Amino acid sequence: MTGTHLVTRSREETEALGERIGRSARAGDVIALWGELGAGKTVIARGVAKGLDVGQAEVTSPTFVILHEHLDGRLPFFHVDLYRISPDQAESTGWREALEGGGVTAIEWPDRIDADLPGDRLDIRIEHAGVDERRIRLEPTGPRSAALARVAA
Ligand SMILES: Nc1ncnc2c1ncn2[C@@H]1O[C@H](COP(=O)(O)OP(=O)(O)OP(=O)(O)O)[C@@H](O)[C@H]1O
Ligand SMILES: [Mg+2]
């Protein structure tokens, strides 16, 4: 199997992984968060925000907001949640513009835009392994994301 494998045993531990990623992230970095409902995708996004010094780290997933922009951190942070989006609606969400926004983008439910995802992104795959346990794989898909994965692991 490819990539780095981790196991976390609490929400805090998973958030800390996101925080390490956020602290080292560079403008243009993209993180695709794969995993079922309740896996911990938003927990990682919240950690990334924290690592970018986004104020309050108020990263949640309100029902009708697809693209959250946090502009008060070290870099702009774009948090995209495509759960309710069908592939043909995706274009109108602004996710593509977010990638051009000179910041860091984290995408939940990236399967909605699968073929359009950037070629160099950090895939993070989260699986339930118990009530509070998650198996997490970091799978870089190019040199930029490989650098990010190295500092985060
Ligand atoms: N080791 C762990 N890592 C991350 N979250 C954990 C862990 N153990 C328990 N949890 C809990 O799992 C839940 C993860 O929720 P979260 O909103 O991050 O999921 P999600 O993948 O974003 O789901 P959704 O697809 O609904 O957006 C939280 O309630 C969190 O407290
Ligand atoms: Mg979520």
Side-chain angles (χ1 to χ4, degrees):
M1 283 194 281
T2 57
T4 305
H5 297 238
L6 305 166
V7 173
T8 65
R9 294 188 172 77
S10 68
R11 160 207 272 262
E12 290 74 19
E13 233 183 287
T14 300
E15 190 171 314
L17 167 65
E19 193 173 346
R20 291 198 296 279
I21 292 172
R23 230 182 285 130
S24 318
R26 295 174 297 166
D29 279 345
V30 177
I31 300 145
L33 297 164
W34 306 81
E36 60 192 32
L37 286 167
K41 302 181 293 296
T42 300
V43 168
I44 292 199
R46 193 176 296 129
V48 172
K50 226 171 154 180
L52 287 166
D53 297 322
V54 167
Q56 310 297 316
E58 265 317 311
V59 177
T60 55
S61 295
T63 314
F64 299 109
V65 185
I66 312 289
L67 170 62
H68 309 258
E69 298 188 2
H70 302 271
L71 302 177
D72 58 330
R74 177 171 70 79
L75 290 169
F77 178 51
F78 305 100
H79 177 203
V80 188
D81 187 339
L82 299 173
Y83 179 58
R84 287 167 197 81
I85 294 298
S86 64
D88 52 325
Q89 292 172 322
E91 215 52 59
S92 64
T93 63
W95 73 268
R96 230 184 259 279
E97 289 73 22
L99 296 192
E100 304 299 318
V104 176
T105 306
I107 305 172
E108 295 190 45
W109 298 99
D111 56 301
R112 303 329 192 223
I113 51 170
D114 211 355
D116 289 328
L117 285 167
D120 190 347
R121 61 181 190 266
L122 181 57
D123 281 331
I124 302 185
R125 300 181 192 276
I126 315 169
E127 287 171 7
H128 283 86
V131 179
D132 290 325
E133 200 164 299
R134 301 290 187 272
R135 261 191 305 274
I136 303 178
R137 294 194 327 253
L138 304 179
E139 296 181 344
T141 66
R144 165 186 279 271
S145 52
L148 189 56
R150 265 195 304 277
V151 294

